[in-house]
Amino acid sequence: MFDFLSSGRYDLLGAFWVTVQLTFYSAIGSLIWGTLLAGMRVSPVPLLRAFGTAYVNLVRNTPLTIIIVASSLGLYQTLGIALGAGENFDDIGFRLAILGMVVYTGTFVCEALRSGINTVPVGQAEAARAMGLGFTQVLTLIILPQAFRSVVAPLANVLIALTKNTTVAAAIGVAEASLLMKEMLENETQALFAVFGVVAFGFIVLTLPTGLLLGWVAKRVAVKR
Amino acid sequence: MKLRKVSTAVVAVASLSLALSACGGESGGGKKSDKIVIGIKFDQPGMGLKTQDGKFTGFDVDVARYVAKELGYSEDKIEFKQAPSAERENLISNGDVKFVAGTYTINDKRKAKVDFAGPYFMAHQDLLVRKDDNSITKVEDLNSKKLCSVTGSTSAQNVKEKLAPKANLLQQGGYSECLNGLENKTVDALTTDGTILAGYAAQKEHQGKFKLVGLKMSDEPYGIGLKKGDKDLQSKINAALEKMQKDGSWKKAVDANLGPANYIADPAPAITEKG
């Protein structure tokens, strides 16, 4: 039943390695972009606030598949934007997929972080302002460090969702786990459930430790109030 | 009081579902005898396509209709069901469809799970290029070209593993996305079975833009997939296919569906899948 694994035809580990890489780069990008968005949403500048709100509400309600396919069809195939990846479709797809993931996942990071900001007592910001700190300083020195500590668990959920969402990159030909699953299903239909099970198991191996580890971290760093 | 209400509701639902399932079983059994469910592709112009007004067209559809007629089902007794490539074997072995006629290449792995009748058509993996592009004449030329195919498809794997490992291969979710790239010159060629390519090239919105190269990069003998061990059905379908070739309907169906794309079809193949 599992003989397709030993045939040497399918590079399962390689495919999951691409999944891990996609997740890693997208997670870093999303964290940066999400923090910036959260900063915009709580900033005193009305225009930035409006942009942040509009962006988050628009993008998080757009299906990820549409965002990823649009980045391939729209950005690359129509406008020729390859993000400096040259001519190789593997590189282009990989970078466009990361861009799509960051654009999408950033909104969820932003919302998690904004709820974290709400857990910081108002007095903290008032005290910081009274000391003469500007908005950026209040945010980066006082508010965000406390906010981050209280949203580790929600961010872990976002990370797990992101790990699974990377499968959408198969739609634009990134050779990650779900693309390999498609290939295996095409050739090994007699082992349909075995193929599915192996890939599902791979994702459990990726996401379960993430959840456990970050759950433990969340408990350790949470601000006790 | 509240508990009583809930329990009555539960009983009511349970008895209703029992009654319904009994009913469903009966009418389902009745339906089986006078209707036939056939699996086809819904998204391959020229071979199996569900049009926007709900009609079915294509060569596979014509073959399916002819075979169904020979099995004793009139046109209005045919029900078409979508059979995506990866699900064909399961649809057949679960009994969801009587048989599948959907660009279904006969091979040994598939024969482990289903039986085939036919083949009724010999297709080949081919290339679709822009009308004015003459730079590809043989398979090796692909190594320096940008190529597009559908994610995970056999054609895509063929290119990667055997035909042209150095080709720059873009895998997309569907052939329409590839056609977009072909038109915008982000890719140079689109590859899959020539029959499917011909269907796309002959579509109204694409007419005159693309052409088939005519390379025979693989052999794809299309068969009709049916439940393993159903020798009776297999020989009946084979007889129907033979009759279709003899009375000229086969040629007519090929010309009507693939002719507009200048597809040069192989002559009808000899039937090899016998019990």
Side-chain angles (χ1 to χ4, degrees):
Chain A
M1 195 175 181
F2 288 94
D3 50 347
F4 63 91
L5 283 179
S6 50
S7 68
R9 209 178 147 190
Y10 307 109
D11 186 9
L12 201 65
L13 286 179
F16 269 106
W17 178 234
V18 177
T19 298
V20 170
Q21 283 175 306
L22 266 182
T23 312
F24 179 75
Y25 291 116
S26 308
I28 291 177
S30 310
L31 201 61
I32 295 170
W33 180 224
T35 312
L36 282 174
L37 278 173
M40 287 182 205
R41 292 206 70 175
V42 297
S43 85
V45 185
L47 194 66
L48 281 182
R49 261 201 327 265
F51 170 78
T53 312
Y55 176 90
V56 167
N57 283 316
L58 188 74
V59 172
R60 75 171 167 180
N61 289 308
T62 310
L64 179 60
T65 316
I66 291 183
I67 295 176
I68 299 276
V69 171
S71 65
S72 173
L73 280 182
L75 281 186
Y76 177 61
Q77 293 201 21
T78 310
L79 298 174
I81 298 169
L83 304 176
E87 289 268 88
N88 188 311
F89 287 133
D90 292 340
D91 294 345
I92 296 170
F94 186 75
R95 293 187 187 191
L96 286 173
I98 290 176
L99 177 74
M101 299 289 171
V102 169
V103 161
Y104 179 76
T105 316
T107 64
F108 294 94
V109 172
C110 164
E111 290 305 89
L113 207 51
R114 208 161 61 93
S115 74
I117 291 174
N118 288 335
T119 66
V120 181
V122 190
Q124 296 267 337
E126 283 169 351
R129 252 200 316 275
M131 285 168 63
L133 299 182
F135 169 75
T136 320
Q137 283 172 311
V138 175
L139 193 68
T140 51
L141 295 176
I142 311 295
I143 308 289
L144 279 182
Q146 297 185 61
F148 265 113
R149 288 170 67 178
S150 57
V151 293
V152 173
L155 283 183
N157 287 340
V158 173
L159 179 62
I160 289 171
L162 171 68
T163 311
K164 295 183 284 183
N165 282 344
T166 55
T167 51
V168 175
I172 60 168
V174 180
E176 44 68 68
S178 78
L179 192 145
L180 185 70
M181 183 174 87
K182 270 195 166 173
E183 275 187 19
M184 291 194 286
L185 289 183
E186 174 96 7
N187 304 334
E188 318 282 340
T189 31
Q190 79 285 357
L192 190 73
F193 295 107
V195 168
F196 183 76
V198 165
V199 175
F201 178 74
F203 275 96
I204 291 176
V205 168
L206 286 184
T207 54
L208 208 58
T210 314
L212 292 174
L213 179 75
L214 287 177
W216 175 77
V217 172
K219 270 199 196 114
R220 299 250 342 203
V221 301
V223 185
K224 302 278 186 304
R225 290 200 171 94
Chain B
M1 190 65 200
K2 214 172 192 179
L3 191 71
R4 207 151 143 213
K5 247 187 197 161
V6 170
S7 59
T8 355
V10 168
V11 170
V13 167
S15 54
L16 195 67
S17 62
L18 260 178
L20 274 178
S21 65
C23 196
E26 226 168 87
S27 65
K31 249 183 197 163
K32 235 175 208 165
S33 59
D34 68 344
K35 272 217 167 181
I36 184 167
V37 185
I38 303 174
I40 57 164
K41 293 276 176 70
F42 277 17
D43 54 357
Q44 291 177 348
M47 295 305 281
L49 181 72
K50 185 176 185 179
T51 57
Q52 278 176 353
D53 48 2
K55 286 188 189 130
F56 299 96
T57 62
F59 178 68
D60 280 337
V61 176
D62 289 346
V63 170
R65 284 202 177 113
Y66 192 94
V67 170
K69 196 184 81 199
E70 290 300 307
L71 293 175
Y73 298 92
S74 60
E75 190 113 339
D76 55 319
K77 297 279 184 263
I78 302 173
E79 192 183 313
F80 286 114
K81 193 176 173 103
Q82 186 167 23
S85 295
E87 287 168 32
R88 290 177 297 204
E89 284 82 0
N90 278 324
L91 285 172
I92 294 169
S93 51
N94 292 345
D96 293 333
V97 296
K98 189 92 175 165
F99 62 82
V100 167
T103 54
Y104 203 177
T105 300
I106 300 171
N107 69 30
D108 290 339
K109 274 215 165 116
R110 287 169 180 165
K111 272 199 255 182
K113 211 164 178 199
V114 296
D115 273 346
F116 284 96
Y120 60 89
F121 194 84
M122 182 58 97
H124 307 280
Q125 185 174 349
D126 200 351
L127 294 171
L128 191 73
V129 294
R130 286 179 293 274
K131 189 112 202 174
D132 54 356
D133 187 355
N134 294 315
S135 60
I136 302 173
T137 50
K138 54 187 188 297
V139 178
E140 287 73 32
D141 293 340
L142 287 176
N143 279 320
S144 58
K145 291 286 176 185
K146 289 180 283 185
L147 201 59
C148 189
S149 193
V150 163
T151 311
S153 63
T154 313
S155 327
Q157 296 181 45
N158 269 347
V159 170
K160 260 193 303 184
E161 288 163 17
K162 284 177 240 155
L163 299 170
K166 284 202 206 110
N168 198 356
L169 180 68
L170 177 67
Q171 299 192 52
Q172 292 278 350
Y175 294 112
S176 308
E177 283 102 310
C178 281
L179 281 171
N180 180 49
L182 193 55
E183 221 177 331
N184 291 334
K185 303 196 174 177
T186 35
V187 294
D188 302 314
L190 163 53
T191 185
T192 182
D193 293 2
T195 46
I196 300 169
L197 295 174
Y200 278 102
Q203 275 185 315
K204 262 205 190 88
E205 62 268 34
H206 299 130
Q207 253 165 24
K209 287 185 196 160
F210 309 118
K211 67 174 181 197
L212 282 162
V213 177
L215 297 177
K216 294 185 173 175
M217 309 200 290
S218 71
D219 287 337
E220 311 285 342
Y222 291 163
I224 288 182
L226 52 109
K227 202 166 215 161
K228 196 152 185 61
D230 196 345
K231 300 288 169 210
D232 182 44
L233 183 64
Q234 188 187 37
S235 55
K236 272 186 192 157
I237 295 179
N238 276 334
L241 292 175
E242 262 168 2
K243 189 174 166 200
M244 190 176 179
Q245 292 173 11
K246 278 203 191 101
D247 70 5
S249 318
W250 187 88
K251 185 91 184 53
K252 228 163 66 191
V254 170
D255 289 344
N257 290 299
L258 301 169
N262 301 321
Y263 181 82
I264 301 150
D266 282 18
I271 284 172
T272 54
E273 301 298 312
K274 288 172 185 158

